[in-house]
Amino acid sequence: QVAILSSGYLSGEESLALLQSLRKGQLYQADHSYILYPDRNVPGFLEKNCLTERQVQDIVLFTTLIKAQDSSIISRDINGYYHFNGHFRNVRDLSNALEKLNRNPKYKDLVAAESATILDLFEETFHHDEFTGRSGTFFAYEGLGSVYWHMVSKLLLAVQETVLRFEGEPVVTALVERYFDIRAGLGFNKPPDVYGAFPTDPYSHTPKGRGAKQPGMSGMVKEEIITRLAELALSIDDGSLIFDMLLLDPHELLEEPSTFDYLDTKGQQQQIDVKPGSLAYTFCQVPIIIQASQNNAIEVYKSDGGMETIPGQVLDKANSQHIFNRDGFIHHLCVHTVL
């Protein structure tokens, strides 16, 4: 799903249909998360490597070996169940055993006639050709029933790319809803008793029925940093800072006045007042304040006390370059926007 969304191959409507289907499918969890692979019932150890009476009786080599009490390929236990040699690790071991029997005139003709059938039965019993690693057999890490947080954050990024690709089209509203539904399932939006850990800490995975496991700077951090830029209305195009409010959540705006502490371009601790209806962050150590307003404009506050107002939500290249250079020319930006 992530690959085809990021490829740009789907239309907006097709992308929405995929996400709606994913939301209703086996991968979705009730807490807005997604597991990496569908859960499944995997046979227990004692259920594996068991052949039925009919499977054995249909192969003359098997019945001949059993009568001769030759367990090089097959054996019968005290309960009457039949099993391939327990030392076989894969089909190569079985092939080697058949080749050894082929050198015995007593079994040569039977081996020639039934080797293909026996090899097929071995695969039917163990499904080695279908093995895809932990995804098919394990129940932790990135295995069955596990939420793999890096993959969920990749899905978030792929949906964000899709939202921005179809901005301005009628389908974008529904795509934005899908985006925030996925975002609601990320760890930092969960209480500790649900996440199973400190919600702001990155973890590798959450096994089925358990809390988050394997802490560390996992790959999910990268995608969440990337997606956060657009959530803060910030992007860069052709050397200019652009402020696009499509994914800005109005609930993040302050309800009360506050003071924003930050390090300036010289590494000095600074403070700046932030009004209600705003949020603040730094980019290249320059404070950017997003302010709900009646018009769209960018106020550029310079370190020498001057101020410049730029209509719209695109910062010109010259001022953008000052921010990229961290040269201290711009003290902060106040981006007024109609929400």
Side-chain angles (χ1 to χ4, degrees):
Q1 294 91 340
V2 168
I4 196 169
L5 285 169
S6 294
S7 72
Y9 178 78
L10 300 180
S11 67
E13 289 72 19
E14 289 170 332
S15 299
L16 178 60
L18 183 150
L19 292 169
Q20 290 172 333
S21 177
L22 185 63
R23 180 66 158 74
K24 297 175 183 177
Q26 297 179 57
L27 301 182
Y28 179 71
Q29 304 291 283
D31 61 353
H32 296 270
S33 299
Y34 291 87
I35 58 177
L36 189 58
Y37 306 99
D39 206 350
R40 55 181 287 203
N41 292 319
V42 177
F45 179 79
L46 296 179
E47 299 174 69
K48 300 177 181 179
N49 193 14
C50 289
L51 303 176
T52 66
E53 183 81 27
R54 181 173 180 178
Q55 287 174 313
V56 172
Q57 288 180 346
D58 288 344
I59 298 175
V60 179
L61 179 60
F62 280 177
T63 56
T64 302
L65 290 172
I66 291 167
K67 287 179 182 179
Q69 296 186 336
D70 184 336
S71 60
S72 59
I73 289 182
I74 192 169
S75 61
R76 183 176 184 269
D77 65 24
I78 59 174
N79 296 313
Y81 296 108
Y82 297 93
H83 314 279
F84 280 107
N85 187 322
H87 294 288
F88 290 165
R89 294 164 299 178
N90 50 49
V91 72
R92 289 191 297 273
D93 290 341
L94 172 58
S95 297
N96 291 336
L98 287 169
E99 180 59 31
K100 186 175 180 179
L101 288 176
N102 189 52
R103 294 195 290 269
N104 187 332
K106 180 180 177 180
Y107 301 119
K108 185 176 180 65
D109 291 342
L110 291 176
V111 171
E114 298 181 324
S115 283
T117 302
I118 294 171
L119 293 171
D120 287 344
L121 180 59
F122 188 84
E123 173 58 28
E124 181 184 329
T125 302
F126 296 105
H127 306 286
H128 284 176
D129 284 348
E130 299 176 17
F131 182 66
T132 56
R134 67 186 67 182
S135 64
T137 56
F138 290 9
F139 283 93
Y141 299 95
E142 298 92 52
L144 297 172
S146 291
V147 176
Y148 180 34
W149 290 110
H150 189 187
M151 201 67 236
V152 178
S153 61
K154 282 185 178 181
L155 175 63
L156 186 75
L157 178 57
V159 176
Q160 184 182 97
E161 293 170 343
T162 303
V163 166
L164 298 176
R165 188 179 304 122
F166 295 106
E167 185 172 2
E169 297 189 15
V171 73
V172 76
T173 300
L175 289 172
V176 169
E177 291 176 358
R178 294 292 94 223
Y179 177 82
F180 281 106
D181 185 71
I182 295 167
R183 188 178 185 272
L186 293 174
F188 65 83
N189 286 316
K190 299 181 187 299
D193 59 335
V194 174
Y195 189 52
F198 290 107
T200 52
D201 287 351
Y203 279 77
S204 167
H205 61 282
T206 297
K208 181 179 180 180
R210 302 172 67 187
K213 303 296 179 184
Q214 200 173 351
M217 191 61 72
S218 70
M220 67 179 292
V221 177
K222 175 184 65 177
E223 273 75 19
E224 290 188 24
I225 290 174
I226 294 172
T227 54
R228 189 61 177 151
L229 292 176
E231 291 175 6
L232 294 172
L234 180 64
S235 62
I236 301 171
D237 185 46
D238 194 27
S240 291
L241 288 178
I242 299 176
F243 298 94
D244 183 347
M245 307 299 158
L246 179 62
L247 288 171
L248 181 73
D249 183 358
H251 294 98
E252 292 200 49
L253 301 181
L254 294 174
E255 296 182 358
E256 302 289 339
S258 184
T259 300
F260 180 46
D261 296 305
Y262 69 97
L263 292 176
D264 64 17
T265 55
K266 297 179 180 179
Q268 301 299 310
Q269 190 76 37
Q270 302 290 351
Q271 289 185 334
I272 192 168
D273 293 330
V274 185
K275 299 177 182 178
S278 303
L279 63 79
Y281 57 92
T282 61
F283 183 73
C284 296
Q285 294 173 266
V286 175
I288 295 175
I289 300 172
I290 307 294
Q291 172 75 58
S293 184
Q294 300 299 315
N295 65 303
N296 293 327
I298 302 172
E299 293 176 347
V300 182
Y301 291 85
K302 302 175 183 179
S303 296
D304 63 5
M307 194 273 282
E308 176 185 1
T309 300
I310 300 173
Q313 295 186 320
V314 178
L315 186 66
D316 62 278
K317 289 185 179 181
N319 280 312
S320 295
Q321 193 62 52
H322 283 301
I323 293 178
F324 299 149
N325 290 342
R326 303 173 189 249
D327 58 17
F329 181 80
I330 295 176
H331 183 269
H332 72 277
L333 301 180
C334 186
V335 181
H336 295 269
T337 183
V338 179
L339 296 176

